[in-house]
Amino acid sequence: MAYTKAIQDGVDVLDCPVQMTKDGIPICLGSINLIQSTDIVRTGFSNLSETVPEIMQSSGIFTYNLSWSDIKSLKPVISSPQSQYKLFRNPKFQNAGKYLKLSEFLSMANTTSSLNGVLISIENAAYLAKQGFGVTDAVLKALNEAGYDKQTTQKVMIQSSSSSVLMKFKGKTNYQLVYKIDEDIGGAQSSTIDDIKRFASAVVISKDSVFPESSAFLAGATDVVSRLQAANLSVLVQTFSNEFTSQAWDFFSDATVEINSFYAGAGINGVITDFPKTSDRYRRNRCLKRGNKTPAYMSPVQPGSLLQLVTTDYLPPAEAPKPYLTESDVVEPPLPPVAKTTSIST
């Protein structure tokens, strides 16, 4: 349902975060932890909870512990990332929709002429390989069977926060490789950027890595975007939402003002968003093509200017600067071979 709505709302690229089931089927699901997107804690599978430090510090019930038929029997639970503020998305349809296999996702995208491409996100590949699940091989197989290795009308983007995953794809395909920096950063060493260029042509960073926040006020701006772009790396920023609690006060609780400040102010190449209709409407704004006649209300906000108006007694506490991205954060050993597992009959 979300994919269908995104296509109607003008999205360019649909994404599928790939997870593996117990019977080796790659599916599209936002998290490997089923507790975050299903009603599994209310089912008989709740006893499968475990703690896996390589994946997350808290306990979870993971997709690789259930078969595809088991997962299909669960009820979906709609995402509400701002639920801590009692903002819930569409409660009437919180359990609507169905899950998709990667092959079904690719078939749908391949027949949608308005799309520019698809993005396949792969995480936890090293741990899954040790458990006997070859997620990179499963993705390559699904893409080949869907004809993406031969067709050129839609681009394929492979995204991961693991450089070893992207190195696995490099040289084997013409897919665009996207490196996700999964922490807020204040900058990056030149040698680190050179390392990223070896295996990626685009980078995903957080909003805080562009405009650092302090108690929901913009505290300033970094040079992360300009430095990455100077190395011919496209910069995508995540995640843009419409809920006012997701935006710094500087953006006046206006999702369009926020997008404009990142695009016109910071010069980013693209947005990753929960609300593609808002972003699509922004890029069709006729004010963007008026040059020096652009009205003042289309000017990007000045990071830190609102914070200067806060009186001393109410200033948020000073925060430590965001860390720099170093070579040790990026360089990883190759993925381990997929472990052989012995199948046990039910």
Side-chain angles (χ1 to χ4, degrees), residues 8 15 19 93 99 201 241 247:
Q8 294 171 355
D15 69 304
Q19 315 299 342
F93 297 101
Y99 305 112
S201 60
S241 300
Q247 303 143 13

Side-chain angles (χ1 to χ4, degrees), residues 288-314:
L288 295 176
K289 301 179 181 179
R290 299 196 64 187
N292 56 11
K293 294 183 179 180
T294 301
Y297 58 76
M298 287 297 290
S299 301
V301 304
Q302 298 302 310
S305 59
L306 187 59
L307 192 60
Q308 295 175 9
L309 302 179
V310 181
T311 58
T312 305
D313 292 341
Y314 294 96

Side-chain angles (χ1 to χ4, degrees), residues 3-205:
Y3 287 139
T4 301
K5 187 69 167 65
I7 292 169
Q8 294 171 355
D9 289 348
V11 73
D12 293 317
V13 177
L14 281 182
D15 69 304
C16 168
V18 172
Q19 315 299 342
M20 297 298 291
T21 67
K22 187 175 183 178
D23 42 354
I25 297 175
I27 64 174
C28 296
L29 203 60
S31 172
I32 192 173
N33 182 9
L34 290 164
I35 294 176
Q36 296 180 1
S37 57
T38 75
D39 69 338
I40 194 167
V41 294
R42 301 187 188 94
T43 70
F45 299 115
S46 58
N47 62 341
L48 295 177
S49 178
E50 61 178 340
T51 301
V52 182
E54 294 92 334
I55 296 178
M56 56 191 297
Q57 295 305 311
S58 58
S59 61
I61 304 174
F62 303 109
T63 59
Y64 58 80
N65 284 327
L66 277 76
S67 68
W68 172 231
S69 60
D70 290 336
I71 292 175
K72 284 196 297 182
S73 71
L74 303 174
K75 287 184 179 180
V77 174
I78 196 170
S79 170
S80 291
Q82 301 300 312
S83 59
Q84 70 268 34
Y85 301 106
K86 305 302 179 184
L87 292 176
F88 299 97
R89 291 179 177 172
N90 212 348
K92 183 179 179 181
F93 297 101
Q94 67 171 348
N95 300 120
K98 64 177 183 178
Y99 305 112
L100 288 179
K101 294 188 292 186
L102 174 59
S103 58
E104 294 170 330
F105 166 83
L106 293 173
S107 176
M108 174 193 64
N110 212 355
T111 55
T112 305
S113 59
S114 62
L115 286 178
N116 291 343
V118 294
L119 183 147
I120 310 299
S121 177
I122 302 173
E123 299 295 342
N124 306 305
Y127 178 80
L128 289 171
K130 296 175 184 177
Q131 309 308 308
F133 300 101
V135 58
T136 55
D137 293 335
V139 168
L140 280 169
K141 180 181 178 182
L143 286 167
N144 292 346
E145 290 178 349
Y148 276 90
D149 58 329
K150 300 181 178 64
Q151 62 97 7
T152 57
T153 54
Q154 288 186 354
K155 65 180 178 182
V156 174
M157 305 168 74
I158 305 295
Q159 174 187 296
S160 181
S161 60
S162 169
S163 60
S164 57
V165 168
L166 300 181
M167 290 295 290
K168 184 95 175 186
F169 283 87
K170 187 174 176 62
K172 292 184 178 180
T173 67
N174 292 322
Y175 303 151
Q176 182 181 6
L177 304 181
V178 182
Y179 183 58
K180 178 184 175 183
I181 300 174
D182 55 4
E183 62 178 339
D184 299 334
I185 60 171
Q189 298 174 348
S190 298
S191 56
T192 307
I193 296 175
D194 290 338
D195 276 333
I196 295 174
K197 285 178 61 179
R198 290 190 301 110
F199 56 80
S201 60
V203 178
V204 172
I205 59 176

Side-chain angles (χ1 to χ4, degrees), residues 321-342:
K322 298 288 190 294
Y324 261 55
L325 192 70
T326 64
E327 289 182 73
S328 61
D329 296 320
V330 173
V331 178
E332 297 178 348
L335 288 177
V338 178
K340 293 183 179 180
T341 58
T342 304

